[in-house]
Amino acid sequence: MKLDLHYWNYSTPAEPEKMAATLAETARIAEQSGFSSFSVMDHYFQMDYATAAEDPMLEAYTTLGYVAGRTERMTLGVLVTGVMYRHPGLLAKIVTTLDVLSEGRARLGIGASWYEREQRGLGVPLVPVGERFERLEETLQICLQMWSDDNGPYQGRHYQLAETLCVPQPVRRPRPPILIGGGGERKTLRLVARYADACNLFGSSPEDVARKLEVLRSHCEAEGRDYDSIEKTVLAVRPALADVDDFIAAAGEYAKLGVTEICSMPDPGRSPVEWAEELAERVMPRLSQVG
């Protein structure tokens, strides 16, 4: 079982002049101790259901560019990019840039976006949920076209590109992997079956994940897609250090379902550096034996 460090909170320490060093040290410890990947959220306000919207938040891809310069091996991605926050052609170029400068370590994590307070606050266009999913599908098509030999136009309902030129191409071959986040059974998991290399599900329980994966399997059958070719990842709900035995037991149950990576988040209010050090000591040796 692999482990992703999902860096979601910049409040400890909250002083801007200390954030870079804390981020760099946390990433260094994660890589040194064997984390497979490092991810960040795509938010501009902190999530107000988790803590205060006014808490510190950094832009995702700039943050990953910084982490890329401080690491050598971990996969780097956004969990997950909000489809409304960047024009698809520019998003493909942003992810390509991250991939080139990290020497092939970028992963495109993407979803339909949801945080209306943030969007209203910053003037991001608000569109109905159905349209967000239409835009998500077109964005996936545009990224795939830009990471191919086809430099021609793209004509969609929401996006029209006269050229899909992307030079340089990504270092990763044949392209950066695509991860779609979310467990929506009718739309999200259908898009996973049609376009993605990986999915990320909310790890509320092994039973819930098992049901979502059965839905994904049915979509794969309908799409003619090999279900086993899709990597299954889970965002852990339970804090890993609150009960290590419980976390490892749940990881074992997820592994039986075919999950190969768990995303774990530093505890709010605690130094992410200290959290990563303790996770490396108490969790990583046992997690490496799972699966």
Side-chain angles (χ1 to χ4, degrees):
M1 180 68 71
K2 299 182 292 183
L3 193 63
D4 168 86
L5 196 160
H6 185 51
Y7 201 100
W8 70 284
N9 193 314
Y10 300 88
S11 297
T12 309
E15 298 89 345
E17 63 273 15
K18 297 180 180 179
M19 290 180 186
T22 301
L23 180 65
E25 181 63 5
T26 304
R28 185 194 67 79
I29 293 167
E31 184 163 85
Q32 187 177 61
S33 59
F35 281 74
S36 60
S37 57
F38 191 100
S39 64
V40 297
M41 298 195 304
D42 194 20
H43 287 302
Y44 298 85
F45 296 174
Q46 180 57 270
M47 300 178 294
D48 56 9
Y49 76 84
T51 180
E54 295 81 6
D55 281 357
M57 181 56 59
L58 298 180
E59 194 279 323
Y61 282 100
T62 310
T63 301
L64 288 181
Y66 177 78
V67 173
R70 300 302 191 276
T71 58
E72 297 179 352
R73 297 183 301 278
M74 290 188 296
T75 297
L76 306 172
V78 177
L79 190 67
V80 288
T81 307
V83 72
M84 294 302 297
Y85 292 149
R86 298 166 191 82
H87 189 284
L90 301 184
L91 175 61
K93 190 67 177 180
I94 290 165
V95 177
T96 299
T97 300
L98 176 64
D99 192 72
V100 169
L101 296 183
S102 67
E103 300 180 324
R105 295 188 285 131
R107 174 167 65 186
L108 170 59
I110 193 164
S113 73
W114 60 272
Y115 194 3
E116 289 195 7
R117 175 176 178 176
E118 175 179 73
Q119 294 180 43
R120 292 181 189 278
L122 299 178
V124 177
L126 280 171
V127 302
V129 173
E131 182 178 330
R132 293 208 308 268
F133 277 97
E134 292 173 358
R135 289 176 179 269
L136 176 57
E137 183 160 20
E138 290 190 16
T139 296
L140 291 163
Q141 293 170 352
I142 290 166
C143 287
L144 287 169
Q145 183 167 327
M146 289 186 68
W147 293 334
S148 74
D149 295 331
D150 182 359
N151 294 334
Y154 175 88
Q155 293 294 322
R157 178 179 178 183
H158 302 287
Y159 302 110
Q160 296 81 43
L161 285 68
E163 296 181 84
T164 50
L165 188 65
C166 186
V167 181
Q169 281 282 292
V171 171
R172 184 79 171 258
R173 290 289 181 259
R175 53 169 174 75
I178 294 171
L179 177 150
I180 296 177
E185 297 181 7
R186 189 166 64 89
K187 294 182 178 181
T188 302
L189 294 178
R190 178 184 61 81
L191 291 176
V192 171
R194 185 171 293 178
Y195 297 104
D197 304 290
C199 64
N200 183 262
L201 300 171
F202 193 64
S204 51
S205 72
E207 293 75 20
D208 288 344
V209 170
R211 184 171 58 82
K212 297 293 184 182
L213 290 178
E214 282 305 309
V215 173
L216 175 59
R217 187 185 294 275
S218 68
H219 282 304
C220 286
E221 291 173 357
E223 295 287 338
R225 177 75 186 278
D226 179 7
Y227 169 82
D228 292 329
S229 70
I230 299 171
E231 183 179 11
K232 289 81 177 177
T233 75
V234 165
L235 178 63
V237 175
R238 299 168 181 161
L241 295 175
D243 187 331
V244 174
D245 290 340
D246 183 67
F247 183 81
I248 296 298
E253 293 301 311
Y254 289 132
K256 293 175 184 177
L257 299 174
V259 173
T260 57
E261 183 177 78
I262 296 179
C263 309
S264 186
M265 300 176 283
D267 301 330
R270 183 176 182 186
S271 163
V273 173
E274 294 176 0
W275 178 88
E277 289 174 335
E278 187 173 351
L279 207 77
E281 178 182 347
R282 298 179 58 200
V283 175
M284 289 300 291
R286 296 178 63 183
L287 193 66
S288 65
Q289 305 303 312
V290 174

